[in-house]
Amino acid sequence: MPVLSLTDLVDLVSKAGTPKATKVREIKNRDAYQPATDYYKRFRDGIVEIHSEGEGKDSLQDILAALPPHKVENYSEVVEGYRKWWGRKELEWFDPPRNFYNYNDFSVSVNPELGLLINGEPHVIKLYLKADPLSKLRVDIVGSLMGITLAEYPDIKFGVLDVRNSKLFVSAASIGAPLIDAELAYVESLWPHV
């Protein structure tokens, strides 16, 4: 059963025509995940470690220690963006729930990075680290898919944190399963031919 990441699905929904077909081909033919090639893995792991161990904002600097020179500029931007977003908020860690959205023979892994009580309110957050602007469509897809797959947690707010711009978008809109199913039906029909 092919498993797509939440980011894969968002990228697919955001494209149309030939670029969408090209993205399906890329997903199908890419190599298996290798942590060594995950550019922002150290940042995501560092943020989780800081919160899960109850460390303070000053620990964010540790993420930058011993980085290869080609990563320093991008990492400095995301660390500073995260520091600014953190601000004076009281943040308390909890393990974020995870699940899969299934459609026929395809699954989408819904794997948010952060579970945080923000000033006492539970939030499950997907980090957005790209330099490209974060669109409302992306926020709505991520929030909706988390809302559908993690519906057993009705008190949790689902959101996307645009780390570089220090802005948390909490999703109120629900795109709904029919749109997600339609996108996965497209992927399913194209998959054998790419």
Side-chain angles (χ1 to χ4, degrees):
M1 171 185 300
V3 177
L4 284 68
S5 71
L6 183 53
T7 302
D8 290 336
L9 182 67
V10 171
D11 288 347
L12 283 166
V13 172
S14 302
K15 296 185 184 318
T18 304
K20 184 177 254 184
T22 301
K23 186 65 181 174
V24 172
R25 182 181 303 107
E26 288 173 9
I27 293 168
K28 180 179 179 183
N29 296 311
R30 71 180 166 207
D31 294 332
Y33 173 76
Q34 296 293 325
T37 61
D38 183 342
Y39 188 84
Y40 285 111
K41 181 173 179 23
R42 181 177 178 145
F43 176 79
R44 289 191 312 273
D45 290 351
I47 295 295
V48 168
E49 182 178 324
I50 287 166
H51 290 304
S52 65
E53 294 183 6
E55 297 175 15
K57 260 192 302 191
D58 292 341
S59 299
L60 290 169
Q61 280 305 119
D62 297 344
I63 295 172
L64 299 174
L67 275 176
H70 70 281
K71 289 188 177 184
V72 172
E73 184 178 343
N74 281 327
Y75 264 67
S76 294
E77 285 179 24
V78 294
V79 166
E80 189 51 40
Y82 195 86
R83 178 188 318 282
K84 185 178 173 188
W85 173 76
W86 190 334
R88 295 184 174 184
K89 296 175 188 73
E90 290 183 33
L91 303 178
E92 186 179 331
W93 174 260
F94 64 89
D95 287 327
R98 293 167 165 77
N99 208 341
F100 288 90
Y101 182 87
N102 297 308
Y103 175 83
N104 293 341
D105 289 334
F106 285 80
S107 285
V108 178
S109 64
V110 179
N111 191 16
E113 290 90 357
L114 302 177
L116 294 172
L117 293 175
I118 302 174
N119 299 327
E121 291 187 70
H123 289 73
V124 170
I125 301 169
K126 187 79 180 149
L127 298 174
Y128 181 78
L129 299 164
K130 295 178 182 178
D132 299 334
L134 178 61
S135 70
K136 181 178 181 331
L137 177 62
R138 284 182 177 267
V139 170
D140 289 347
I141 293 165
V142 171
S144 294
L145 205 48
M146 286 196 292
I148 291 166
T149 60
L150 306 173
E152 64 205 66
Y153 305 97
D155 297 331
I156 291 178
K157 294 181 180 180
F158 301 107
V160 180
L161 176 58
D162 183 347
V163 177
R164 290 174 189 269
N165 293 305
S166 312
K167 179 117 173 93
L168 177 63
F169 296 91
V170 176
S171 182
S174 179
I175 291 204
L179 177 97
I180 295 165
D181 289 350
E183 292 294 330
L184 291 172
Y186 171 83
V187 172
E188 182 181 47
S189 67
L190 196 58
W191 196 263
H193 308 288
V194 294

